[in-house]
Amino acid sequence: WYNRANSSATPVMDLRIIDLNRILKFSIRSKLTIAFVGLSMLSLLIVGLYLIQMHTRSLQDSQLLHLERDVLVLQERTATFLSNVEGDVRFLSQSLAFLTLADGSGDGVLRQTAADHIAAFAQAKGIYYQICCADREGQVVLDVRWQGDHYAALSQEELDRIGTHYYLYLVEGLRPGQFAAAPVELTGEGELVAAISYALPVFGQS
């Protein structure tokens, strides 16, 4: 600040030390109490931060545990689903109609009987989109598909326009009782639907 008594005087700096003891006038006991309270608050702050960290870690461990349980449940359900599908495939492959078609001795009446049998089977299961049977050249001889509200076999004209050479490639080298599975995408109602295709070679008596 400047000394106003003499405007031409050299400016000087006035340093004043604030004495808290005079202003606050705390006793020794009060000072000790304040120090104790400060230390207590510091301890509470440290303990609080530690508890928050432990609680956060506990929540993470709990979430990981629930995630592991969900994965195990999903794994069990998937294994059960695939096992049931495998059983259905083996059941159909051993039916008399399929074995007759595999021998190439099935007539129109037998094919229709097999189609009705497969359609009823698929309707009861409710999880299949298509069940078909192809000969060793890859020509489809029977194809039962979901038609929006029911299962029905394709006509002979529709069968003549399709083939399953891809499935012949899947079953190549497989022995009786073995099957192949592959992921596919089906187009339905303007969207792609993820699915699983099973291919199993059917060996007739011949």
Side-chain angles (χ1 to χ4, degrees):
W1 57 282
Y2 292 95
N3 189 346
R4 295 183 180 180
N6 187 357
S7 59
S8 62
T10 303
V12 296
M13 182 177 294
D14 186 11
L15 298 177
R16 296 182 180 179
I17 300 176
I18 300 176
D19 191 353
L20 295 178
N21 292 329
R22 291 183 179 181
I23 298 176
L24 301 177
K25 295 181 180 181
F26 288 144
S27 62
I28 296 178
R29 178 178 297 178
S30 299
K31 295 178 181 179
L32 292 176
T33 302
I34 294 174
F36 177 76
V37 172
L39 292 175
S40 300
M41 292 181 63
L42 180 60
S43 301
L44 290 175
L45 179 61
I46 296 175
V47 173
L49 293 176
Y50 175 75
L51 292 177
I52 292 175
Q53 183 180 5
M54 293 299 297
H55 181 66
T56 303
R57 184 176 300 176
S58 177
L59 288 177
Q60 292 177 348
D61 294 340
S62 178
Q63 292 177 353
L64 288 176
L65 180 60
H66 286 299
L67 182 60
E68 290 178 356
R69 291 178 179 176
D70 293 341
V71 171
L72 290 176
V73 171
L74 181 61
Q75 183 179 4
E76 292 178 356
R77 291 180 178 178
T78 303
T80 301
F81 172 78
L82 296 178
S83 178
N84 292 336
V85 172
E86 179 182 351
D88 292 342
V89 172
R90 297 187 185 282
F91 170 77
L92 288 176
S93 65
Q94 296 302 317
S95 64
L96 179 60
F98 258 78
L99 292 177
T100 304
L101 290 175
D103 285 333
S105 58
D107 55 11
V109 176
L110 180 59
R111 291 183 181 183
Q112 186 60 45
T113 302
D116 295 340
H117 172 72
I118 294 174
F121 176 84
Q123 191 74 38
K125 293 294 182 177
I127 61 174
Y128 298 106
Y129 169 75
Q130 175 189 21
I131 300 177
C132 64
C133 179
D135 58 22
R136 65 186 59 190
E137 284 76 27
Q139 181 62 41
V140 178
V141 296
L142 180 64
D143 191 328
V144 178
R145 296 188 182 186
W146 175 249
Q147 303 294 338
D149 57 352
H150 67 286
Y151 288 91
L154 299 183
S155 63
Q156 186 61 46
E157 294 181 358
E158 294 173 317
L159 293 178
D160 294 338
R161 295 195 298 266
I162 60 176
T164 56
H165 299 284
Y166 171 71
Y167 295 103
L168 291 181
Y169 171 77
L170 286 180
V171 301
E172 183 179 2
L174 295 181
R175 296 188 298 271
Q178 294 180 333
F179 68 93
V184 295
E185 289 184 342
L186 303 176
T187 304
E189 298 182 358
E191 62 179 358
L192 294 178
V193 179
I196 301 176
S197 289
Y198 279 80
L200 182 143
V202 178
F203 296 88
Q205 295 179 357
S206 59

